[in-house]
Amino acid sequence: MQEAATIPSGRENGDGSTPGVARRLLIDGRLQETGRTFPSLNPATGEVVGHAPDASVEDAHAAVAAARRAFDEGSWSTDAELRIRCLEQLHAALVEHRDDLAALTIAEVGATESLCQGAQLDQPIEIVRYYAELLKTYPMTEDLGNIESRGMQHHRWVEKEAGGVVAAIIAYNYPNQLALAKLAPALAAGCTVVLKSAPDTPLITLALGELIADHTDIPAGVVNVLAGADPAVGAALTTSPEVDMVTFTGSTPTGRAIMSAASGTLKKVFLELGGKSAAIVLDDADFSTAALFSAFSMVTHAGQGCALTSRLLVPERHKDEIVELIKNNFGLVRFGDPADPATYMGPLISAKQRDKVDGMVQRAVAAGATLVTGGEKVDPGFFYTPTLLADVDPDSEIAQEEVFGPVLAVISYTDDDDAVRIANNSIYGLSGAVFGSPERAKAVARRIRTGTFSINGGNYFSPDSPFGGYKQSGIGREMGKAGLEEFLESKTLAEGVSCAVSRWTAAASLRWPCTA
């Protein structure tokens, strides 16, 4: 551990002005500044929160080399007790500094206070504790028993080993969740890690690196944390021959590029990518409940969630009724300053993202969709009003492409088979939802090709639940036992334990050296 340092919260000035939060990279156990920095903006105001060190390709190579040495030469991958202790230390540090981390998350990510009490911070902190506990009981060996072959008894077993050096690259929308859902299982498995923040939210991820350096016994090089605005830094991680595995959360086009880049060295690739999930309202559902869940989940974190159900499939004959309910619910959404406990929806992450969302909405209207409510930019900051589009063509851009904004597209269907067909009409398969009578809803849920699914508002998201998608929503699963196993390799071993000369060996005039 280094000398403990406090985490600037983003609220030090006390006069409403933006504080100058500064962070450092973590490379080979040392917190480092660089000669270059880049700004991180508060998306609620457009003002600068602080400056992050701008890592270079050389910094990326240094971080990978440190992780390689720590894995190859240290005891991290074989000392489970050390790993448990360090994970418990990290969990304690996150709990101790929770309020400062929350304030920085609100300032830099635009997350609301209520979200920090859930998926933006408090739930991710518990991921670390979950893997510390899981490591105490997870079986790292599996006995396969004996077989007889060529007159010899062979005892066989499987041992689980750490996958090696991991490059972990995360997105901006839930940086604490994404970082810890990769870091905690990788460390529990015995891997070493180079974690790269998203360019839009570097400060909160670098704060995690500082906690690791200041408050844990994690050996030098086991965890390295980078931030950088240059895409070449990420490219260096995905192509390095010293990296054994790449785990990435972000857009599907970027995921495809990472998979292609990693193919040169046949790295293991674990991808959590985009989604265009559908919520189906059956004709026997409670429409008010379905409309409430659909509306407020869609504007959670301003729609910046890959698993959000951004397509709402409704029975044709009930379309107008359900659209009106959604419209009324959107009118109740309070958006604005995410630091205000009364705020439900904060801003989009950047002006660029807001322009993208607005462009998709305008093109949808031009293509024939009906703008029921919303579709407006709100300044200052990067706010976009909750937006409801009706009469959406299921094959249109707005129904097929990920928007990543508070935009809900309503699509009509004729019967259950039609609803299932429309829901599965996507390159994505991350999540989904259905509302209706229990048995009928379950039957529909089992027909949708997605990795996660909610029935009548059920919440599947927790540290012990595997999360991931089908099709082009990704490869692999985060969290749960499956999340640990992503970072493990299986080695099958066999030992000769007894032998006798068989007819086969005698006929072949072979002699096997063994002891009975």
Side-chain angles (χ1 to χ4, degrees), residues 116-155:
C116 286
Q117 295 167 15
Q120 281 286 4
L121 184 59
D122 288 356
Q123 288 178 355
I125 288 174
E126 291 311 300
I127 293 174
V128 180
R129 184 170 67 89
Y130 170 80
Y131 281 108
E133 293 301 312
L134 179 62
L135 186 54
K136 296 174 183 178
T137 60
Y138 184 84
M140 288 293 184
T141 62
E142 178 187 5
D143 194 291
L144 301 180
N146 289 1
I147 59 170
E148 182 178 341
S149 175
R150 299 180 181 179
M152 176 180 284
Q153 287 290 320
H154 305 264
H155 178 224

Side-chain angles (χ1 to χ4, degrees), residues 476-495:
R477 293 293 182 269
E478 282 186 338
M479 300 191 297
K481 290 182 181 179
L484 176 66
E485 289 163 354
E486 293 291 345
F487 297 97
L488 292 170
E489 294 281 9
S490 293
K491 177 180 286 184
T492 304
L493 301 97
E495 178 184 24

Side-chain angles (χ1 to χ4, degrees), residues 310-328:
S310 55
R311 293 182 292 161
L312 184 65
L313 278 51
V314 302
E316 174 63 42
R317 62 185 177 278
H318 298 293
K319 180 194 71 174
D320 292 343
E321 177 185 356
I322 296 172
V323 165
E324 187 65 21
L325 289 169
I326 296 285
K327 178 183 177 182
N328 292 338

Side-chain angles (χ1 to χ4, degrees), residues 53-396:
D54 195 3
S56 64
V57 171
E58 289 73 21
D59 291 322
H61 290 323
V64 170
R68 186 79 262 168
R69 284 193 303 273
F71 186 81
D72 292 343
E73 301 173 14
S75 62
W76 180 256
S77 66
T78 57
D79 191 341
E81 292 302 317
L82 173 62
R83 302 201 301 272
I84 291 169
R85 183 175 82 244
C86 290
L87 286 169
E88 290 175 340
Q89 290 171 339
L90 177 56
H91 177 259
L94 290 166
V95 171
E96 179 184 355
H97 292 274
R98 184 266 173 203
D99 290 347
D100 287 341
L101 291 168
L104 185 54
T105 301
I106 290 167
E108 183 180 45
V109 184
T112 61
E113 290 257 2
S114 61
L115 271 179
C116 286
Q117 295 167 15
Q120 281 286 4
L121 184 59
D122 288 356
Q123 288 178 355
I125 288 174
E126 291 311 300
I127 293 174
V128 180
R129 184 170 67 89
Y130 170 80
Y131 281 108
E133 293 301 312
L134 179 62
L135 186 54
K136 296 174 183 178
T137 60
Y138 184 84
M140 288 293 184
T141 62
E142 178 187 5
D143 194 291
L144 301 180
N146 289 1
I147 59 170
E148 182 178 341
S149 175
R150 299 180 181 179
M152 176 180 284
Q153 287 290 320
H154 305 264
H155 178 224
R156 302 155 305 130
W157 70 99
V158 176
E159 294 183 358
K160 298 291 187 180
E161 297 181 346
V165 176
V166 176
I169 303 171
I170 64 172
Y172 65 78
N173 55 333
Y174 286 83
N176 297 309
Q177 163 69 32
L178 300 177
L180 293 173
K182 296 181 188 304
L183 190 62
L187 295 181
C191 296
T192 58
V193 183
V194 180
L195 173 66
K196 182 186 177 298
S197 74
D200 290 301
T201 54
L203 302 179
I204 188 62
T205 305
L206 292 173
L208 173 62
E210 293 186 4
L211 286 180
I212 289 170
D214 293 340
H215 296 279
T216 78
D217 294 325
I218 294 175
V222 168
V223 178
N224 306 270
V225 184
L226 303 177
D230 186 352
V233 173
L237 298 178
T238 60
T239 57
S240 170
E242 300 302 314
V243 170
D244 300 297
M245 176 180 176
V246 177
T247 173
F248 167 77
T249 297
S251 72
T252 292
T254 303
R256 295 189 196 112
I258 286 175
M259 193 170 185
S260 177
S263 68
T265 49
L266 287 180
K267 301 183 193 308
K268 184 176 182 180
V269 177
F270 168 28
L271 304 172
E272 200 273 285
L273 306 176
K276 193 64 186 179
S277 303
I280 301 171
V281 182
L282 301 177
D283 58 16
D284 63 358
D286 180 328
F287 294 162
S288 294
T289 300
L292 186 69
F293 272 93
S294 299
F296 279 86
S297 64
M298 189 62 246
V299 298
T300 298
H301 196 35
Q304 297 170 113
C306 52
L308 296 179
T309 48
S310 55
R311 293 182 292 161
L312 184 65
L313 278 51
V314 302
E316 174 63 42
R317 62 185 177 278
H318 298 293
K319 180 194 71 174
D320 292 343
E321 177 185 356
I322 296 172
V323 165
E324 187 65 21
L325 289 169
I326 296 285
K327 178 183 177 182
N328 292 338
N329 285 322
F330 271 1
L332 299 174
V333 175
R334 178 167 177 172
F335 62 90
D337 180 6
D340 184 343
T343 297
Y344 186 83
M345 188 186 90
L348 292 168
I349 192 64
S350 65
K352 178 181 178 181
Q353 180 61 22
R354 186 173 67 170
D355 288 344
K356 177 201 169 189
V357 170
D358 186 58
M360 293 186 73
V361 169
Q362 302 309 320
R363 290 195 296 275
V365 173
T370 300
L371 179 60
V372 178
T373 187
E376 298 175 331
K377 300 178 182 180
V378 179
D379 298 318
F382 311 127
F383 293 93
Y384 199 75
T385 54
T387 300
L388 179 62
L389 296 168
D391 308 309
V392 171
D393 182 335
D395 294 318
S396 64

Side-chain angles (χ1 to χ4, degrees), residues 275-276 310 360 396-404 427-428:
K276 193 64 186 179
S310 55
M360 293 186 73
S396 64
E397 178 194 42
I398 203 72
Q400 292 293 320
E401 297 299 327
E402 191 171 42
V403 180
F404 235 56
I427 65 170
Y428 301 109

Side-chain angles (χ1 to χ4, degrees), residues 19-34:
V21 178
R23 297 262 80 97
R24 290 168 290 174
L25 307 177
L26 176 61
I27 300 176
D28 203 11
R30 296 185 297 275
L31 294 170
Q32 304 178 16
E33 297 177 351
T34 63

